[in-house]
Amino acid sequence: MNFGILSAKVQDGVKVIDVTKYGAIGDGKTLDTKAIQKAIDVAAKLGNGTKVLVPTGRQYLISTLVLKSNIEFHLQGNAQLLVSTKKEDYSVEGSLIANDVKNLKISGTGSINGRALEFMSHYDTVKEIWMPKDWRPKLFILTKCNHLEITDITIEKAPSWSLHMLGCENVLIDGVKIKNNLDVPNCDGIDPDHCQNVEIRNCEISCGDDAIVVKATLQEIDYGPSANIWVHDCLIETQDSGLKIGTETTQDIYNIVFERCEIKTSCRGLTIQLRDEGDVYNIVFKDINFTSRYHSNPWWGRGEAISLTAIQRNPETKIGKIHNVLIENVKGIAENSIRVNGTMESRISDIRLYNVDVTLKRWTKYPGNVFDNRPTKAYEGIETHDTPGIFIRYSDRVVLENCSIAWENTIPDCFTNAIQANNVTGLELINFKGESANQAKYKAIDISKL
């Protein structure tokens, strides 16, 4: 007889597999990967939503766990998965992985601890950033999952990306908390990548890199576009972009809605960075408050309030288009401009800002007077530029309705026009409110054809 199946309990009509019955110790020192994996494998054979129970009150040392179809992986109470810091313990580059599975649930109030600082070599006091060692794992790599649910768990101290979903469909992420170090690079929060039909809601995210970022990375397998993604009611703190699309845009990204989110701090509030051949369109940012500020030089972003940029990654890159973007009921404080910045190679079109109110001021110590175009080798990465309230370049059919720009009392010399536009067609201003930062030196609205 199969001892694993005999040891399954039934709770509320669902079979439950307790990982401690398969040898998991939970002392934070003994590697429990094999024991927990055995429980997962038994649960997968039973299927029908069998629950793999990781009991509360213990800390389980793990490396790579492979999750399977038709199960629920449940972190009970304060149960914690503690990742191994030894590369030789891992079978792949991630801690919790799944490949081509269906009906997978990851639930519970427990946590996974990525031990970020143990994967860092040192803290660079000049650059104000932790410097990684040669190797560090992602925490979740979930590939080609269909009907995936992740609810209520906590992810903390991720050494690299926290929750990467590649080619997944029909996904719900609800009530997840991410508590990463703000000065560790590349520890993104949630990355839907070539994913379709995704809802991300009620999450609290604190991380050094992008908080919620929709991507279409370069892959050998065609996973399709990123489409039909709804992000709402999330609280965000980051040293990079709060809500973002890109920079990896190798296929189309469309039908994306970000709404009812609070961005406590960021280096860019709302961001679309098109750098590759995919098109980005039918995008909505709605009912969002944000703060955006400068950080030290290694961090991408220079305090831009809103940044829509279409810039070739390399001179030979075929680049797509950004079009049909609505930004509505958005309010923020920032150290740098709202940017709608296309290029000769890729003009941005059909952009509407409605009820967007931004106040510009400076409060950090870092040098200003720049725009951040990275990543690009086709253009200057850090571009010296004055700071208008709204900057529009190489764009068509941009509408600003019921929008306002305000300046704080202490105004640096680099703060200039309320609106500055060049090489733009079809710019429409409806009930716009805003003066220049220095009315003796600059026009409120400066439009040129250059």
Side-chain angles (χ1 to χ4, degrees):
M1 290 187 179
N2 188 313
F3 176 77
I5 293 177
L6 286 178
S7 67
K9 295 182 179 180
V10 177
Q11 186 179 75
D12 297 326
V14 176
K15 291 185 176 67
V16 179
I17 303 291
D18 185 334
V19 300
T20 62
K21 304 299 183 184
Y22 292 85
I25 304 299
D27 61 2
K29 298 176 182 178
T30 306
L31 191 63
D32 284 324
T33 303
K34 289 183 179 179
I36 298 175
Q37 188 64 57
K38 185 176 180 181
I40 292 169
D41 294 344
V42 169
K45 289 180 181 178
L46 292 170
N48 296 315
T50 296
K51 181 182 289 186
V52 177
L53 178 68
V54 183
T56 188
R58 305 189 191 190
Q59 189 179 58
Y60 303 84
L61 184 65
I62 64 161
S63 51
T64 300
L65 294 174
V66 182
L67 303 176
K68 304 292 182 67
S69 294
N70 302 310
I71 68 167
E72 178 178 358
F73 186 76
H74 185 79
L75 299 173
Q76 182 189 55
N78 67 350
Q80 184 177 81
L81 303 178
L82 182 69
V83 305
S84 171
T85 58
K86 299 177 181 178
K87 184 178 181 180
E88 59 268 25
D89 289 340
Y90 291 76
S91 58
V92 295
E93 299 293 303
S95 297
L96 286 150
I97 71 168
N99 293 285
D100 200 12
V101 307
K102 296 180 180 179
N103 304 316
L104 169 64
K105 293 183 180 180
I106 302 168
S107 66
T109 56
S111 64
I112 176 169
N113 184 340
R115 305 171 74 174
L117 297 190
E118 295 178 63
F119 292 94
M120 304 294 128
S121 63
H122 67 284
Y123 182 77
D124 190 316
T125 56
V126 175
K127 295 180 178 180
E128 298 179 356
I129 193 170
W130 283 96
M131 304 303 293
K133 296 177 182 176
D134 291 339
W135 181 83
R136 48 184 170 151
K138 294 180 181 179
L139 294 189
F140 285 84
I141 306 175
L142 307 175
T143 304
K144 207 176 177 183
C145 299
N146 197 340
H147 295 286
L148 168 69
E149 289 188 18
I150 305 177
T151 57
D152 299 327
I153 66 167
T154 296
I155 299 169
E156 57 186 350
K157 300 182 176 67
S160 184
W161 291 9
S162 303
L163 178 51
H164 182 202
M165 297 172 290
L166 175 62
C168 296
E169 298 183 43
N170 305 308
V171 177
L172 174 63
I173 310 296
D174 186 9
V176 169
K177 295 179 176 62
I178 297 177
K179 301 177 180 180
N180 291 344
N181 303 75
L182 286 172
D183 43 11
V184 166
N186 311 117
C187 63
D188 295 20
I190 302 175
D191 295 63
D193 184 3
H194 296 274
C195 291
Q196 297 98 45
N197 304 324
V198 176
E199 182 178 1
I200 300 169
R201 68 190 187 198
N202 306 319
C203 294
E204 297 180 17
I205 301 173
S206 179
C207 59
D209 220 305
D210 302 319
I212 301 176
V213 49
V214 180
K215 296 175 176 287
T217 56
L218 183 63
Q219 299 289 330
E220 293 181 1
I221 297 172
D222 183 1
Y223 291 106
S226 282
N228 306 323
I229 297 174
W230 182 25
V231 177
H232 61 99
D233 299 288
C234 293
L235 181 64
I236 288 167
E237 181 180 19
T238 176
Q239 289 199 175
D240 216 299
S241 291
L243 300 169
K244 179 179 174 183
I245 294 172
T247 65
E248 296 91 338
T249 45
T250 63
Q251 284 187 281
D252 290 357
I253 299 176
Y254 60 90
N255 296 350
I256 314 297
V257 177
F258 301 99
E259 65 178 332
R260 297 193 304 275
C261 292
E262 180 82 21
I263 302 171
K264 293 168 61 178
T265 187
S266 64
C267 75
R268 292 189 183 103
L270 316 179
T271 309
I272 300 176
Q273 285 181 281
L274 176 66
R275 295 295 181 272
D276 304 299
E277 63 266 33
D279 291 337
V280 176
Y281 59 95
N282 294 352
I283 312 299
V284 175
F285 296 94
K286 183 178 180 182
D287 300 323
I288 297 167
N289 294 330
F290 70 86
T291 297
S292 183
R293 48 157 288 188
Y294 281 85
H295 290 91
S296 54
N297 189 54
W299 299 101
W300 285 4
R302 287 293 176 269
E304 295 97 336
I306 299 167
S307 183
L308 315 183
T309 59
I311 301 171
Q312 289 172 296
R313 187 178 296 276
N314 299 299
E316 65 276 10
T317 301
K318 179 183 177 182
I319 187 166
K321 303 285 187 184
I322 297 173
H323 61 93
N324 293 92
V325 178
L326 171 64
I327 302 172
E328 179 177 354
N329 298 335
V330 169
K331 186 173 183 179
I333 300 171
E335 292 198 279
N336 207 340
S337 310
I338 295 173
R339 291 182 72 191
V340 180
N341 196 152
T343 52
M344 289 184 290
E345 296 81 12
S346 179
R347 297 181 70 90
I348 295 175
S349 65
D350 300 290
I351 309 299
R352 185 169 184 255
L353 277 64
Y354 179 78
N355 285 347
V356 175
D357 302 309
V358 172
T359 298
L360 279 84
K361 64 178 184 177
R362 286 301 314 269
W363 66 91
T364 66
K365 63 184 180 180
Y366 307 102
N369 209 34
V370 295
F371 286 153
D372 192 346
N373 297 324
R374 297 174 295 179
T376 179
K377 294 181 180 179
Y379 287 84
E380 189 177 17
I382 300 295
E383 175 187 354
T384 300
H385 203 284
D386 63 300
T387 307
I390 301 173
F391 178 71
I392 308 169
R393 176 164 59 184
Y394 290 108
S395 299
D396 306 301
R397 297 180 300 281
V398 177
V399 177
L400 309 177
E401 182 174 0
N402 295 343
C403 296
S404 69
I405 292 294
W407 314 89
E408 282 288 318
N409 292 331
T410 303
I411 297 174
D413 290 340
C414 64
F415 282 11
T416 57
N417 318 97
I419 299 175
Q420 186 183 118
N422 60 71
N423 211 311
V424 171
T425 67
L427 176 61
E428 187 174 356
L429 307 180
I430 304 170
N431 194 30
F432 175 79
K433 296 179 181 178
E435 300 294 335
S436 68
N438 186 329
Q439 296 178 42
K441 293 177 67 175
Y442 307 110
K443 301 176 185 177
I445 300 172
D446 186 357
I447 300 175
S448 72
K449 295 180 180 180
L450 301 178

